[in-house]
């Protein structure tokens, strides 16, 4: 039961062998934004490497280099604040729809980094679960190629559907913001005109009484 | 969930092998690359690297979502250091290239021309063609059945739909950011204007009063 999961992780890491990476220094924070609907599982597979100037290439990081992951949801609540090893994956589930901020930084927890400490993070973020059911389906029901193709299409359609629902929610929020602006402009204009007239009247009354007191009028 | 009868230590049974094979291939069935949205602070540059095989085609789409005049500089360098793409102050663009040299390609986004606006940039970097979902689907000897070619057509169409959904989402994020900014600006401006209004009217009255209180010794006796 744990074996397919373990295999899955292993294969994910193998697949990251020559993946996309970004260069960082130690303690330098890199933030990414993911706009996702609620209830989405985000899995971030990563691998870190340390630059070895002697060999002039990147080598896998030693165990004392840890990745710190901080995830904030749209309401600025901390969804994830954890420390991970030099390679592996982090995962979180979004509770509310909107822009989630994922910040990463590397820190060496034991030894100081020499050679200016140039590091590389290989990152692969996957939104939503996908491959898990496939393999089980195929193995269990001995699916044909056609069935697998159709399964792939079904998954795509589900993805589209989820995005559409999210789009509806976002449009509603946009519309609320626009209507709020509209209301605000309207009421503030009325209020300011009223204040203008009121202060004008007050000014005249006050000055009239002042001049009367001064016996100038 | 695992196949029944598999004992630890024994060689993996055929169903497990099939599972393994499918896991491997379906995991790799997504085209390689990265689709990320990141923050680019002012006067900063952010570079990303990807290892590309010779002859593979890669494409880079990017779009600025928030910040300043919604523009960013972008350049792509091949492993030999040659710049194969360079654009300045672009809001969005798409660039495809067939790699002639195998190695690590670097693409960078620069906000160095801006002193105080930090930007949010979205990019989508895809390498290579999408591999088939099973290995022997790629090099078929027989033609596809009608059902299978229908599936392929639908798959391509759905990919287009997903792509346009992404673009729509980015545009909407941009517009919504502007609308929210407008909303808060209206609030601050209104409050500020009301305060200014009160201040001005009070100071007008005070100033006028001060004109008439200074001239105490010689009141204007225009009437007798």
């Amino acid at each position: 039961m744990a074996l397919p999961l373990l295999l899955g992780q292993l294969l994910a890491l193998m697949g990251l062998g020559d993946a996309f990476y970004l260069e960082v220094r130690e303690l330098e924070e890199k933030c990414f934004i993911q706009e996702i609907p609620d209830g989405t599982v985000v899995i971030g597979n990563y691998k870190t490497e340390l630059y070895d100037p002697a060999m002039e290439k990147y080598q896998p990081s030693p165990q004392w280099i840890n990745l710190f992951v901080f995830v904030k949801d749209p309401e600025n609540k901390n969804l994830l604040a954890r420390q991970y090893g030099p390679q592996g994956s982090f995962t979180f589930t979004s509770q509310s729809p909107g822009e989630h901020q994922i910040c990463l930084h590397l820190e060496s927890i034991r030894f100081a980094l020499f050679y200016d400490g140039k590091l590389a993070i290989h990152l692969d973020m996957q939104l939503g679960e996908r491959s898990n059911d496939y393999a089980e389906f195929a193995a269990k029901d001995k699916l044909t190629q056609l069935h697998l193709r159709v399964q792939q299409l079904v998954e795509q359609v589900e993805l589209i559907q989820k995005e559409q629902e999210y789009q509806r929610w976002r449009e509603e929020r946009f519309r609320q913001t626009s209507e709020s602006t509209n209301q605000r402009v309207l009421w503030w204009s009325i209020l300011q005109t009223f204040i203008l007239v009121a202060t004008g009247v007050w000014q005249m009354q006050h000055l009239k009484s002042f001049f009367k007191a001064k016996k100038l009028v | 969930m695992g196949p029944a009868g598999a004992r630890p230590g024994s060689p993996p049974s055929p169903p497990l092998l099939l599972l393994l094979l499918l896991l491997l291939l379906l995991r790799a069935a997504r085209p390689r690359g990265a689709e990320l949205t990141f923050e680019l602070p002012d006067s900063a540059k952010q570079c990303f690297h990807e290892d590309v095989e010779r002859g593979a085609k890669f494409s880079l789409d990017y779009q600025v979502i928030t910040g300043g005049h919604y523009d960013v500089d972008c350049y792509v360098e091949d492993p030999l250091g040659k710049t194969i793409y360079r654009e300045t102050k672009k809001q969005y663009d798409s660039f495809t290239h067939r790699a002639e040299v195998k190695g690590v390609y670097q693409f960078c986004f620069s906000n160095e021309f801006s002193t105080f606006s930090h930007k949010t940039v979205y990019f989508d970097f895809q390498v290579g063609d999408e591999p088939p979902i099973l290995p022997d689907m790629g090099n078929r000897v027989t033609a596809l059945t009608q059902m299978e070619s229908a599936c392929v057509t639908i798959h391509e169409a759905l990919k287009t739909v997903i792509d346009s959904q992404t673009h729509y989402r980015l545009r909407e994020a941009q517009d919504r950011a502007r609308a929210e900014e407008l909303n808060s600006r209206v609030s601050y401006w209104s409050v500020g204007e009301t305060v200014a209004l009160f201040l001005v009217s009070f100071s007008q009255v005070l100033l006028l009063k001060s004109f008439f209180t200074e001239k105490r010794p010689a009141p204007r006796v225009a009437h007798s």
Side-chain angles (χ1 to χ4, degrees), chain B residues 100-215:
Chain B
E100 282 139 29
V101 181
K102 173 181 150 59
V104 174
Y105 281 73
Q106 175 179 262
F107 55 99
C108 300
F109 298 97
S110 162
N111 196 19
E112 282 156 341
F113 56 84
S114 168
T115 39
F116 54 82
S117 54
H118 46 256
K119 315 254 162 88
T120 319
V121 180
Y122 159 89
F123 72 88
D124 182 14
F125 187 78
Q126 300 290 335
V127 182
D129 296 317
E130 191 184 350
I133 51 181
L134 279 184
D136 54 341
M137 280 185 186
N139 40 1
R140 288 189 79 104
V141 180
T142 61
L144 297 172
T145 66
Q146 269 197 331
M147 282 293 288
E148 286 180 337
S149 14
C151 281
V152 169
T153 314
I154 295 175
H155 179 63
E156 294 299 316
L158 289 180
K159 271 206 298 205
T160 315
V161 172
I162 290 176
D163 271 345
S164 57
Q165 272 191 327
T166 307
H167 288 130
Y168 188 36
R169 184 182 71 227
L170 294 174
R171 281 256 169 263
E172 191 269 342
Q174 208 173 354
D175 293 341
R176 191 165 27 88
R178 270 192 214 160
E180 283 171 359
E181 202 191 314
L182 182 65
N183 197 10
S184 52
R185 263 195 222 168
V186 163
S187 294
Y188 291 141
W189 174 246
S190 306
V191 168
E193 207 177 311
T194 309
V195 166
L197 204 60
F198 277 129
L199 276 176
V200 165
S201 58
F202 278 136
S203 50
Q204 270 181 336
V205 168
L206 283 175
L207 198 62
L208 213 55
K209 276 163 99 163
S210 73
F211 285 155
F212 290 94
T213 33
E214 268 168 10
K215 298 184 182 134

Side-chain angles (χ1 to χ4, degrees), chain A residues 30 33 170 173 184 203, chain B residues 37 46 169 176 187 204:
Chain A
K30 294 291 173 194
I33 297 173
R170 269 178 294 147
R173 224 179 69 171
R184 278 184 199 186
Q203 274 183 331
Chain B
T37 311
Q46 181 65 48
R169 184 182 71 227
R176 191 165 27 88
S187 294
Q204 270 181 336

Side-chain angles (χ1 to χ4, degrees), chain A residues 29-187:
Chain A
E29 189 157 62
K30 294 291 173 194
C31 290
F32 299 99
I33 297 173
Q34 285 284 10
E35 208 180 330
I36 44 179
D38 58 339
T40 311
V41 177
V42 177
I43 304 167
N45 298 307
Y46 70 92
K47 190 172 83 163
T48 57
E49 287 176 335
L50 184 59
Y51 188 71
D52 188 356
M55 298 182 63
E56 278 187 15
K57 55 184 268 206
Y58 280 99
Q59 303 288 355
S61 293
Q63 276 303 117
W64 36 268
I65 294 211
N66 282 6
L67 181 77
F68 286 74
V69 182
F70 297 95
V71 179
K72 283 211 174 118
D73 78 348
E75 284 117 37
N76 257 333
K77 197 179 66 175
N78 267 337
L79 271 185
L80 185 71
R82 268 189 63 177
Q83 193 177 338
Y84 293 90
Q87 68 184 46
S89 73
F90 57 89
T91 176
F92 66 91
T93 310
S94 61
Q95 256 117 51
S96 47
E99 285 183 0
H100 290 70
Q101 197 184 41
I102 301 159
C103 288
L104 315 167
H105 73 264
L106 286 170
E107 203 176 314
S108 107
I109 55 176
R110 209 170 295 164
F111 305 108
L113 276 182
F114 303 112
Y115 332 123
D116 214 4
K118 205 159 76 157
L119 298 147
I121 306 179
H122 292 248
L123 186 63
D124 173 33
M125 278 207 265
Q126 194 186 338
L127 305 175
E129 296 150 345
R130 288 228 227 135
S131 316
N132 317 17
D133 300 331
Y134 256 153
E136 285 178 35
F137 263 162
K140 204 168 58 168
D141 303 336
K142 296 180 188 35
L143 300 178
T144 61
Q145 287 188 358
L146 186 62
H147 200 142
L148 277 179
R149 279 189 197 273
V150 171
Q151 186 63 29
Q152 190 186 32
L153 292 178
V154 165
E155 279 192 3
Q156 271 188 310
V157 169
E158 279 173 356
L159 194 72
I160 290 173
Q161 191 185 1
K162 208 151 186 223
E163 182 74 23
Q164 298 280 52
E165 280 177 27
Y166 181 40
Q167 180 58 33
R168 187 190 294 178
W169 175 87
R170 269 178 294 147
E171 189 274 337
E172 189 182 325
R173 224 179 69 171
F174 190 177
R175 195 166 19 94
Q176 279 173 355
T177 307
S178 302
E179 281 180 5
S180 155
T181 307
N182 200 10
Q183 290 280 339
R184 278 184 199 186
V185 166
L186 178 69
W187 287 114

